[in-house]
Amino acid sequence: MHWTIAPTPVDSPEAAATIRGYVAELADRYYGRPATAEEVDEALGEEPDAGMAPPHGLFLLARTRGGTGADAGRDGSGSGAGTVAVGGVVGVVGCVGVQLLDAETAELRRVWVAPPVRGCGLADLLLAAAEDAARELGAGLMRLDTRRDLVEAKRLYVRHGYTETPPYNDSPYADHWFVKSLRLP
C-alpha cells in the first residue's frame, strides 16, 4: 500500500469533505441508522475543527500515491509515479488532527481510515504522524476521547501505549479518555 500523509488546511474543501464523511460514519453508528444531514451538521457544530490549524494544531490527510514499496514512507517522500488505487480508492483514504489544549498537551482528533483500506496499517501511520506533529507543536502529552462502540479505535490506542484516564472534557459523545506521554526515551 502506498500513501502520503501531509498537512492540509482544515478549512479546505477536501478536508471539510473528509471530516464530513468521517462524522457521517460516526453518526450512522451512533444512531444505528443512516444519519440525516441535519444530524451531521449538528455534530460538526458541537465539536468545531478550527483548533486543528497552525500555530496551535495541524490536520493531516492520507492519500493514495504511486510508486513501489521501496519508496513508500510515512512522510510521502520518494519518487512515486502516477496514481494508484488502494483498495479501490483513489485520493483521500484517511485523516487525523491534532490541537493543543495547552502548551504541553495536545489532543488527538478525527482519526479515520476509509473502509476499503482498513486493516492495512494506515491507522498506525496516521497515529504516528499525529504524535510527531504534536511533538513539533511542543506537546509532551497526548490526550484523546472516544466512544464505547468504537472498539477498533480503543484497540488502536491501547496497542500504541495509550492508557485510560479520568475524563478531561465534557464531550457528549465520549465514554473513554486516554493519555500518552510523547517524550521520547
Side-chain angles (χ1 to χ4, degrees), residues 42-57:
E42 182 180 333
L44 285 166
E46 289 174 352
E47 296 187 352
D49 296 316
M52 294 186 292
H56 304 290

Side-chain angles (χ1 to χ4, degrees), residues 45-116:
E46 289 174 352
E47 296 187 352
D49 296 316
M52 294 186 292
H56 304 290
L58 197 63
F59 187 71
L60 305 162
L61 285 180
R63 295 177 178 86
T64 58
R65 71 178 180 91
T68 65
D71 67 345
R74 179 177 53 203
D75 64 1
S77 62
S79 58
T83 301
V84 295
V86 178
V89 177
V90 176
V92 175
V93 291
C95 66
V96 66
V98 174
Q99 70 182 40
L100 290 177
L101 298 175
D102 59 46
E104 288 288 319
T105 309
E107 182 177 43
L108 183 70
R109 303 200 51 224
R110 308 291 196 210
V111 180
W112 177 78
V113 173

Side-chain angles (χ1 to χ4, degrees), residues 17-18 20 24-25 39 42 56 62 64 70 73-74 77 97-98 105 108-109 139 148 150 156 163 167 177 179:
T18 302
R20 184 170 191 82
E25 181 180 343
E39 290 166 333
E42 182 180 333
H56 304 290
T64 58
R74 179 177 53 203
S77 62
V98 174
T105 309
L108 183 70
R109 303 200 51 224
R148 71 177 56 93
L150 301 177
L156 172 72
T163 57
W177 293 262
V179 66

